[in-house]
Amino acid sequence: MVTVYSIDGVTPIVHPEAYVHPSAVLIGDVEIGAHCYIGPAACLRGDFGRLIVETGANIQDTCVLHGYPEIDTVVEVDGHIGHGAVLHGCRVGRNALVGMNSVVMDGAVLGESSIVAAMSLVKEGVVVPPRTLVAGMPARIVRELSDDEVSWKATGSTHYRDLAELSISTLKTTEALTEREPGRRRVTVGNAVPLHLIRAMRRSGESF
């Protein structure tokens, strides 16, 4: 059962084809689109401004979304918000990625297919161009993204759509085992490959 709170008569909206982990918290003016994944302990506080998570976006574990009154915090289609990130009154463009433990501040806009590196701070009002990597505290433009990097990001969001479906159909509370069973299988969601391995394969002439 998802923890959902109404405030001042405004209740969160969750599309029936979205997955929201039971430990996540949704408050007030929150809209979750189809095929979204909202991870464990994520907190979406729509008690000031509106929070919109569009189709196929993922908000991973322990992320926080918040904003100011009359300002929308938006994660566009296939946006990818990494573990522990904080979004406040900003807009994350289509297919953009916010890396783990990064912060994106009020009025910032991340262009389509851009990437914010892990542990970065995107300051108020900063506009990140499409297909651009930014990094640092404060975040600065590093370079344009390669086709491989943009493709890797898009594939990662597809895997999170798959994870949303898998979680809806199979995730349940249970008791832990006390030892490994013979032939223990792995959880498989797509064919996710870390970016550094893709680069290594490219250098060696392998395909992925």
Side-chain angles (χ1 to χ4, degrees), residues 55 57 75-80 92-98 110-115 131 145 149-158:
T55 301
V75 180
E76 295 184 10
V77 174
D78 290 335
H80 193 104
V92 176
R94 186 185 188 100
N95 196 48
L97 182 152
V98 177
L110 307 184
E112 181 173 350
S113 299
S114 61
I115 293 179
R131 290 180 61 106
L145 292 167
E149 289 166 324
V150 173
S151 176
W152 169 81
K153 158 60 191 72
T155 299
S157 289
T158 298

Side-chain angles (χ1 to χ4, degrees), residues 81-151:
I81 313 303
H83 318 288
V86 177
L87 307 183
H88 203 281
C90 59
R91 175 174 286 269
V92 176
R94 186 185 188 100
N95 196 48
L97 182 152
V98 177
M100 294 179 277
N101 288 317
S102 290
V103 177
V104 185
M105 291 299 297
D106 302 281
V109 178
L110 307 184
E112 181 173 350
S113 299
S114 61
I115 293 179
V116 176
M119 301 289 289
S120 295
L121 168 63
V122 181
K123 294 173 66 176
E124 294 182 0
V126 168
V127 176
V128 176
R131 290 180 61 106
T132 299
L133 171 66
V134 297
M137 300 184 70
R140 301 184 186 281
I141 292 176
V142 176
R143 57 177 171 78
E144 185 177 346
L145 292 167
S146 69
D147 290 342
D148 274 353
E149 289 166 324
V150 173
S151 176

Side-chain angles (χ1 to χ4, degrees), residues 3-13 25-31 44-51 65-67 69:
T3 306
V4 175
Y5 297 93
S6 174
I7 186 169
D8 196 27
V10 180
T11 302
I13 301 167
V25 177
L26 310 181
I27 300 173
D29 198 357
V30 177
E31 301 178 14
L44 283 69
R45 279 183 50 204
D47 49 11
F48 281 13
R50 177 169 293 167
L51 311 178
L65 275 64
H66 198 234

